[in-house]
Amino acid sequence: MGFLDWLFGSQKGQAASASKPLVPRASKPRIQWRPDSFPTEVVGESNYQDALIAVCGPHTRYGHDIEVLASLAREPSNAFDQNAVMVTVRSRKVGYLSREQAERVSSQMQEAGLPTVECNARIQGGWRTNQHDEGHFGIRLAMPTRGWIDFGIGAEPPGGPAKPTTRPVPVRNGPMSREWIVVLGQPSDGPIAHALAGKGAHIMAGIGKSTTILVVDSGRPFSEGLQNSATYRKAEAAGPRLRIMTIDEVRREFG
């Protein structure tokens, strides 16, 4: 059975306001990654909203969507996780890598002899429609969510040069051609994203004004950790315009 058959079943069986990038020239080793792709989510940013406001400005009706230069610093003295990797923007702490990502990134930074590296990042959010309805800021990094990381120091990955990644291209007139989708739990250029694009879906790296579905790589009920992730919270905050669906639910609805 092919992957599309697994995901969708066989036929027989079944905005934010934009600003100019705020990215200065590199002064330290910088992670190399595809343009306009920010797959890695920063966690704990809800504790650093003041810092993000200082970077982006106050809440506005349509929010913010800007690119910045972030710094990733290993924090081996962290009392909770010796692999902790702190994320700062303009010398302001804005969050950390998740524990899973920190273990991978910290070990590769240590092996390369890099206490800090730079990374392009995207900050979104900060909208407010009235006194009781507002969205917090979130930040994502231009860094792969798995495998080897190119720190821009001329090193090659184990086993030779990395294979190029491919952005999922939606087919025309597919049953999901009107859907703009974010996949939670899998990379935006992974097999699930490609399968969805094969049904016509437009794959996004993060939640935006045009997102219509958040596809969760997990069954219901969703775990507390998943529901507390910034991506999930943004999807919930979007209201009825953005549906949260499992892979099985997508398969049943779109065939």
Side-chain angles (χ1 to χ4, degrees):
M1 178 181 289
F3 185 80
L4 282 174
D5 289 337
W6 171 80
L7 182 57
F8 293 104
S10 65
Q11 293 181 352
K12 293 181 181 179
Q14 62 142 319
S17 63
S19 303
K20 292 183 179 180
L22 304 178
V23 182
R25 294 180 180 178
S27 57
K28 302 176 183 177
R30 183 184 297 189
I31 293 173
Q32 304 299 300
W33 184 241
R34 291 188 284 114
D36 303 318
S37 176
F38 303 88
T40 301
E41 188 174 333
V42 175
V43 301
E45 78 282 13
S46 60
N47 298 315
Y48 304 102
Q49 292 296 295
D50 288 345
L52 289 164
I53 289 172
V55 172
C56 299
H59 287 71
T60 68
R61 179 174 178 80
Y62 299 105
H64 302 265
D65 187 347
I66 63 173
E67 291 185 28
V68 296
L69 187 63
S71 178
L72 279 60
R74 293 173 48 236
E75 201 174 72
S77 61
N78 188 292
F80 301 100
D81 182 6
Q82 64 179 3
N83 295 315
V85 176
M86 178 178 62
V87 182
T88 61
V89 175
R90 297 180 183 173
S91 300
R92 300 176 185 271
K93 184 191 295 188
V94 297
Y96 284 84
L97 296 186
S98 68
R99 184 176 293 269
E100 178 183 359
Q101 291 294 335
E103 182 178 3
R104 177 178 67 98
V105 176
S106 178
S107 64
Q108 293 192 40
M109 289 176 64
Q110 185 175 12
E111 184 176 346
L114 300 173
T116 62
V117 296
E118 293 181 337
C119 181
N120 290 337
R122 186 179 190 181
I123 302 176
Q124 293 178 302
W127 50 265
R128 176 180 289 149
T129 56
N130 56 51
Q131 290 183 338
H132 306 289
D133 186 16
E134 67 179 35
H136 80 293
F137 289 91
I139 178 169
R140 303 182 70 92
L141 305 176
M143 182 178 72
T145 57
R146 60 181 63 189
W148 182 77
I149 302 169
D150 183 356
F151 293 118
I153 57 176
E156 288 191 355
K163 295 181 179 179
T165 57
T166 56
R167 182 184 296 273
V169 178
V171 301
R172 292 185 179 183
N173 303 320
M176 303 186 75
S177 59
R178 295 179 180 271
E179 308 298 341
W180 292 77
I181 290 179
V182 172
V183 181
L184 179 59
Q186 293 290 331
S188 60
D189 59 353
I192 290 178
H194 279 280
L196 294 169
K199 288 291 182 177
H202 302 265
I203 306 301
M204 306 178 69
I207 299 289
K209 292 289 187 181
S210 59
T211 310
T212 59
I213 300 176
L214 174 67
V215 176
V216 181
D217 182 26
S218 176
R220 296 182 186 272
F222 299 137
S223 68
E224 182 178 351
L226 186 150
Q227 294 182 67
N228 286 332
S229 68
T231 297
Y232 191 94
R233 293 199 307 268
K234 289 175 189 176
E236 280 194 316
R241 74 168 180 84
L242 197 163
R243 294 187 292 167
I244 301 174
M245 304 177 71
T246 67
I247 292 173
D248 286 340
E249 290 166 351
V250 170
R251 184 191 64 227
R252 288 195 293 268
E253 178 165 338
F254 295 97

